[in-house]
């Protein structure tokens, strides 16, 4: 009886020991599993943070790229406007000076119109005035000053200033029949209109009268 009881106790102790070992093993596995899960979660969190940082950095790069493109476009516009302003200034810087020189041209032309060309004593004066006038006109042309002399041309209100109108038989209406003073352009821009006389249509006759 005693021996049997002792054997039962030994078997129970061995079974309990086995259960304890299995239980400890299970606990260790569970702890390792939890630890691994914690490690994976921490790494995933770090990955998520890095992904968010990458997205933010990419967004910043795109914004900066757009800013650079806009800044470059603005600089190009400023350079283009500056170049246009310089070109305009270069073309029209002589406008005031040219206007003053045109007074001298007018005076020389009037002198040639009024001088007595039949008088031989005036021959030298006429040649001198003509040479001076030609030289002055040539100098003005070098800087883009061009005469507007619309004799016998259609009247153009953008280039001509009508001083009077007159009926002229055989001449179409709105034709320049006389130029009282030439006009001038500077690099294609009018700086003085030509003063002209323009033909007008004859009054209509009432045939039923």
């Amino acid at each position: 009886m005693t021996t049997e009881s002792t054997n039962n106790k030994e078997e129970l102790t061995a079974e309990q020991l086995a259960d304890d070992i299995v239980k400890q093993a299970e606990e260790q596995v569970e702890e390792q599993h939890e630890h691994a899960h914690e490690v994976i979660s921490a790494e995933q969190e770090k990955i998520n943070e890095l992904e968010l940082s990458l997205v933010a950095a990419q967004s910043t790069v795109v914004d900066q790229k757009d800013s650079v493109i806009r800044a470059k476009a603005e600089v190009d516009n400023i350079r283009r406007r500056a170049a246009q302003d310089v070109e305009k200034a270069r073309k029209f810087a002589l406008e005031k000076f040219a206007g003053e020189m045109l007074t001298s041209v007018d005076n020389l032309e009037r002198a040639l119109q009024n001088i007595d060309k039949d008088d031989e004593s005036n021959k030298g004066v006429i040649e001198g005035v003509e040479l001076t006038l030609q030289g002055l006109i040539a100098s003005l042309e070098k800087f883009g000053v061009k005469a507007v002399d619309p004799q016998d041309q259609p009247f153009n209100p953008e280039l001509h200033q009508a001083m009077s109108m007159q009926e002229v038989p055989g001449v179409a209406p709105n034709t320049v029949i006389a130029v009282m003073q030439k006009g001038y352009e500077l690099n294609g821009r009018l700086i003085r209109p030509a003063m002209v006389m323009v033909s007008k249509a004859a009054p209509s006759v009432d045939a039923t009268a």
Side-chain angles (χ1 to χ4, degrees):
M1 181 69 178
T2 305
T3 302
E4 185 178 354
S5 176
T6 302
N7 289 336
N8 290 336
K9 288 182 179 180
E10 289 177 354
E11 289 177 1
L12 182 61
T13 303
E15 186 177 351
Q16 290 177 346
L17 181 60
D19 289 341
D20 290 341
I21 292 173
V22 170
K23 186 175 181 181
Q24 289 177 0
E26 289 178 349
E27 290 177 352
Q28 289 179 355
V29 170
E30 186 176 353
E31 288 178 359
Q32 291 177 356
H33 178 73
E34 291 179 356
H35 179 68
H37 180 71
E38 291 176 356
V39 171
I40 293 174
S41 298
E43 290 180 350
Q44 185 62 45
E45 185 177 353
K46 186 63 176 179
I47 291 172
N48 293 339
E49 291 178 358
L50 292 174
E51 287 179 346
L52 290 175
S53 298
L54 178 60
V55 171
Q58 289 175 338
S59 177
T60 301
V61 169
V62 171
D63 292 341
Q64 290 178 346
K65 184 178 179 180
D66 290 341
S67 298
V68 170
I69 292 173
R70 287 194 297 269
K72 184 178 182 299
E74 183 63 22
V75 169
D76 290 341
N77 289 335
I78 292 173
R79 286 177 177 172
R80 184 167 57 253
R81 288 194 297 268
Q84 291 173 349
D85 292 341
V86 169
E87 182 65 15
K88 289 179 181 179
R90 185 187 67 80
K91 282 185 176 182
F92 304 114
L94 294 176
E95 183 171 347
K96 185 175 181 180
F97 176 76
E100 294 294 330
M101 292 299 97
L102 294 181
T103 302
S104 299
V105 172
D106 294 338
N107 291 335
L108 292 173
E109 288 179 341
R110 278 194 290 267
L112 290 175
Q113 291 172 358
N114 295 326
I115 196 169
D116 186 1
K117 296 181 176 60
D118 295 331
D119 189 344
E120 288 293 327
S121 62
N122 291 332
K123 184 176 180 180
V125 175
I126 292 173
E127 290 178 354
V129 173
E130 287 177 343
L131 289 174
T132 302
L133 177 60
Q134 292 171 4
L136 183 55
I137 291 175
S139 297
L140 290 171
E141 288 178 348
K142 287 181 181 179
F143 292 96
V145 180
K146 180 181 178 182
V148 178
D149 189 1
Q151 180 69 41
D152 299 326
Q153 296 178 8
F155 175 73
N156 183 351
E158 295 183 358
L159 300 175
H160 314 148
Q161 181 177 350
M163 306 304 293
S164 64
M165 300 187 71
Q166 182 177 335
E167 296 176 25
V168 181
V171 178
N174 292 322
T175 299
V176 175
I177 56 178
V179 179
M180 296 174 235
Q181 186 182 70
K182 294 178 184 177
Y184 285 90
E185 293 177 324
L186 175 59
N187 291 312
R189 186 171 75 179
L190 187 69
I191 58 176
R192 192 181 79 179
M195 297 182 181
V196 299
M197 181 182 295
V198 184
S199 62
K200 66 178 180 179
S204 58
V205 178
D206 189 358
T208 60

